[in-house]
Amino acid sequence: MKIFAVGMNYIQHNKELDGALYKPEHPVIFTKADSALLKDHKPFFIPDWSEQVDYETEVVVRICRLGKSIPERFAHRYYDAVTVGIDFTARDLQREARAKGLPWEICKGFDGSAVIGDWVEKEKFLDVQALHFHLDIQSAEDRAAGRSGRTVQEGCTSDMLYRVDELIAYISQFFTLKTGDLLFTGTPVGVGPVHIDDHLTGWLEERKVLEFNCK
């Protein structure tokens, strides 16, 4: 199983990171180790080697068949389900890596950094490129005060700079896609840090598909 992820795929997030609205010339693709996968609502353990670990809420698609050099017009045949996931990022390490032109593997691909929720068959939705999704976080202070979680990030796949089918066609030029591979499709504006005892819930349209605690 391979985990692919897309950087800088929402224009307002690009401004959030770099202070400018822009579209990359090509999709920005990186990978995560298979040990990054965290599923079944298991807790996320914030690593002690980073001073700031940020959530990045994303729609994730599941590859369902073998494919290489897939034409964009056929790409929709190669994934069968979607969910909400979190691309956890050690932001302090990423800033250092970007400044020095170094790879992102440590800040993006560490253990537990690719969280996924429950899968929903894509046929349940009219259009994968019109999905609304959001992340709620309830802190320990919120629970103590009897407050519910607050929405910290939300987006719609219609705002992607590179659509799902474009991404699959592009990635498959370089990598053979296999059944069970995952594609994190990019995060919208609104990323931020997580803290110990935060409770995260992710929503895909009206469905709660993601729920776990930070420890």
Side-chain angles (χ1 to χ4, degrees), residues 6 8 30 33 37 46 50 65 67 75 85 96 121 128 134 146-147 157 170 172-173 180 191 194 205 214-215:
V6 184
M8 297 174 281
F30 59 95
L37 184 63
I46 300 174
S50 175
R65 61 191 296 186
E96 181 179 350
E121 294 179 1
V128 169
H134 70 271
R147 297 189 297 265
T157 55
Y170 181 78
S172 69
Q173 295 179 56
V191 304
V194 290
E205 295 292 344
C214 292
K215 294 185 178 295

Side-chain angles (χ1 to χ4, degrees), residues 6-20:
V6 184
M8 297 174 281
N9 202 28
Y10 286 81
I11 198 165
Q12 291 295 336
H13 173 61
N14 297 348
K15 183 177 181 180
E16 178 179 49
L17 283 183
D18 297 325

Side-chain angles (χ1 to χ4, degrees), residues 104-169:
W104 292 6
E105 275 80 0
I106 292 177
C107 62
K108 283 284 194 178
F110 60 90
D111 289 354
S113 63
V115 188
I116 59 170
D118 301 322
W119 293 108
V120 182
E121 294 179 1
K122 70 175 184 179
E123 286 75 16
K124 299 289 186 181
F125 304 105
L126 292 176
D127 186 356
V128 169
Q129 289 303 152
L131 295 177
H132 293 85
F133 59 100
H134 70 271
L135 177 71
D136 294 345
I137 294 182
Q138 183 188 42
S139 67
E141 291 78 11
D142 290 332
R143 287 193 298 279
R147 297 189 297 265
S148 58
R150 67 193 190 284
T151 298
V152 296
Q153 192 176 20
E154 54 189 329
C156 182
T157 55
S158 63
D159 294 328
M160 286 181 179
L161 298 175
Y162 291 98
R163 298 177 295 109
V164 173
D165 290 359
E166 292 179 275
L167 295 171
I168 288 175

